[in-house]
Amino acid sequence: MLGNSSGRSPNCTDWSQASAGDICKLFLMVLLVVLISLGNLVSLLVFFRVRQFRTSQGYLKASLALADLAVGLIVVPYSVYREVNRLTWGMEPETDKYEKPACFITGPIFAGCTFVSISTIFLLSVERSVAVLKPLHRKAVITKRRTIWLIVASWAMSCCLAVVPLLSSPDITFQYNACSKMCNYAFPTDKPPESHWNIMLLYPVFDFSVLSGTFAINAITFAAVHQYCKKRKQLGEEAQGGSNQVSFSDITAAKTIGILTFAFSISFLPIAVFVVGSVVGYQWCKFSFYAFWILTSNSCWNVAIYSVWDPKFRQGVRELFNKPVLISTSQDAACSQEEHSSAPACVAILKKMFRPESNQ
């Protein structure tokens, strides 16, 4: 690597500056591996082990966390591996015999997980809209069985979309890109752009169509929430009665999903611009890195959004890692056998389980 620059201080300076930038990018990648993996592992534990999250909404959020976790455990670590090899040994993508097989794994995974995230956020918005607009019909319309089938269909459709360009044209392949630091769809450089490469435009068209529908559904949901809050203020406590009213947790969940939608849209916009520009023929090296890694960083935003905006998620994390809660659970089972003599104690234990903050 340094053979052509020995004895020349300007070239050495340029190399050191480039290395400093690459080291900063490598540090960012490693940090994302840690944040994405730990955050989404905690989310999955909360959604699967805390009983109050074993709902349709909890299953959808678990699917979203699983897609983000795949990015953190498979896609980003391979980019770290490639950059460590390049900085340490000067190994370029062409010289690595494992580059093509690895890219044909990590590339579709990243694309597929992106589609899973978009479709899952759409399904979450639909679920919250039904919960707010038709609270009496929510349990009949949104069942766990239907939710699981929708999740399976979302993953299957996303995997198919990820490989559509490969099947549509033999000129399109996956290749590690030194600019974006990821395995991307690649076009032959020795051939002019052809019309069948426009299949890549399927991605931004599909994504923006789903996101537009998600924004429309969220707008309807928030309008209904606004009307409910307005009526509640006018009527006072009378508006709180009845089983057909929207609960505070439903409103909070709707707001959380709206924030998820907005955050994903912001992170997806640069990559959509990059895809359209690549099809047209632009070569954006620096921009490609920021576009891909802004989208990748979205995989750790969801956990932060839950932690800030969703009090039930924070309570679930406390229940998951708080040892006294586990002791209380076992005590509750013992109390059920002696219900006649220990009813007050059982009530206190249940209060600790479901409202731990009231005892602090």
Side-chain angles (χ1 to χ4, degrees):
M1 285 181 62
L2 302 178
N4 295 331
S5 59
S6 58
R8 298 182 182 180
S9 57
N11 289 341
C12 288
T13 303
D14 294 340
W15 181 86
S16 62
Q17 291 176 351
S19 296
D22 290 337
I23 290 173
C24 290
K25 292 177 181 178
L26 181 61
F27 175 77
L28 172 64
M29 296 176 192
V30 175
L31 182 63
L32 283 177
V33 170
V34 176
L35 294 178
I36 294 172
S37 301
L38 290 181
N40 288 286
L41 279 175
V42 171
S43 297
L44 287 174
L45 288 175
V46 170
F47 295 142
F48 284 124
R49 298 193 63 179
V50 179
R51 182 169 297 180
Q52 63 177 332
F53 284 100
R54 295 173 189 172
T55 61
S56 297
Q57 181 186 163
Y59 291 161
L60 289 170
K61 289 183 176 180
S63 175
L64 184 61
L66 185 62
D68 292 335
L69 184 62
V71 173
L73 292 180
I74 300 175
V75 179
V76 184
Y78 179 71
S79 297
V80 172
Y81 163 77
R82 291 292 313 151
E83 288 306 299
V84 168
N85 279 347
R86 187 177 68 86
L87 293 175
T88 305
W89 309 106
M91 184 182 294
E92 297 299 329
E94 310 81 49
T95 63
D96 189 357
K97 62 180 179 180
Y98 301 109
E99 182 246 335
K100 281 192 175 181
C103 277
F104 273 92
I105 296 175
T106 60
I109 287 177
F110 182 68
C113 288
T114 302
F115 297 138
V116 168
S117 298
I118 295 175
S119 57
T120 304
I121 291 174
F122 173 78
L123 293 175
L124 279 168
S125 301
V126 173
E127 188 269 342
R128 282 297 88 192
S129 181
V130 173
V132 171
L133 298 176
K134 300 291 183 180
L136 289 178
H137 303 86
R138 171 176 53 183
K139 293 183 179 180
V141 175
I142 305 173
T143 63
K144 294 181 181 179
R145 183 185 294 251
R146 291 177 181 174
T147 302
I148 292 173
W149 278 112
L150 286 173
I151 291 172
V152 172
S154 170
W155 279 84
M157 179 191 66
S158 300
C159 292
C160 292
L161 284 175
V163 297
V164 162
L166 301 179
L167 301 177
S168 65
S169 173
D171 294 333
I172 300 177
T173 184
F174 277 103
Q175 184 177 352
Y176 184 81
N177 190 291
C179 292
S180 65
K181 316 296 183 186
M182 273 193 177
C183 290
N184 304 336
Y185 296 98
F187 312 113
T189 57
D190 57 341
K191 295 182 179 180
E194 299 179 8
S195 60
H196 55 260
W197 286 357
N198 293 335
I199 190 66
M200 295 300 300
L201 295 176
L202 171 68
Y203 290 163
V205 170
F206 170 81
D207 296 336
F208 278 116
S209 298
V210 176
L211 287 175
S212 299
T214 305
F215 274 110
I217 293 173
N218 284 328
I220 296 173
T221 304
F222 289 142
V225 169
H226 177 72
Q227 290 295 327
Y228 167 74
C229 293
K230 185 177 179 180
K231 183 184 295 185
R232 183 177 179 179
K233 289 180 180 180
Q234 292 175 351
L235 300 179
E237 295 181 356
E238 295 180 1
Q240 300 177 10
S243 59
N244 61 338
Q245 299 301 326
V246 182
S247 65
F248 176 76
S249 61
D250 289 334
I251 296 175
T252 303
K255 291 180 179 179
T256 303
I257 294 166
I259 296 171
L260 284 178
T261 305
F262 179 77
F264 187 88
S265 302
I266 294 298
S267 63
F268 178 77
L269 184 60
I271 201 70
V273 174
F274 172 77
V275 170
V276 174
S278 298
V279 172
V280 173
Y282 290 103
Q283 300 294 329
W284 293 331
C285 186
K286 292 183 178 180
F287 178 71
S288 66
F289 174 81
Y290 295 110
F292 275 93
W293 288 95
I294 288 174
L295 179 60
T296 305
S297 66
N298 179 261
S299 297
C300 63
W301 292 4
N302 296 338
V303 182
I305 292 172
Y306 299 149
S307 301
V308 174
W309 290 94
D310 192 348
K312 290 179 64 177
F313 181 80
R314 296 196 298 270
Q315 180 179 338
V317 173
R318 287 196 298 267
E319 291 184 14
L320 183 66
F321 293 103
N322 196 4
K323 292 183 180 179
V325 172
L326 299 179
I327 298 175
S328 299
T329 305
S330 62
Q331 291 177 351
D332 179 56
C335 286
S336 62
Q337 299 176 0
E338 301 179 357
E339 188 175 354
H340 63 282
S341 61
S342 57
C346 290
V347 172
I349 289 170
L350 290 174
K351 185 177 180 181
K352 290 181 181 179
M353 288 176 60
F354 295 101
R355 292 186 178 178
E357 68 274 7
S358 62
N359 301 314
Q360 295 177 356

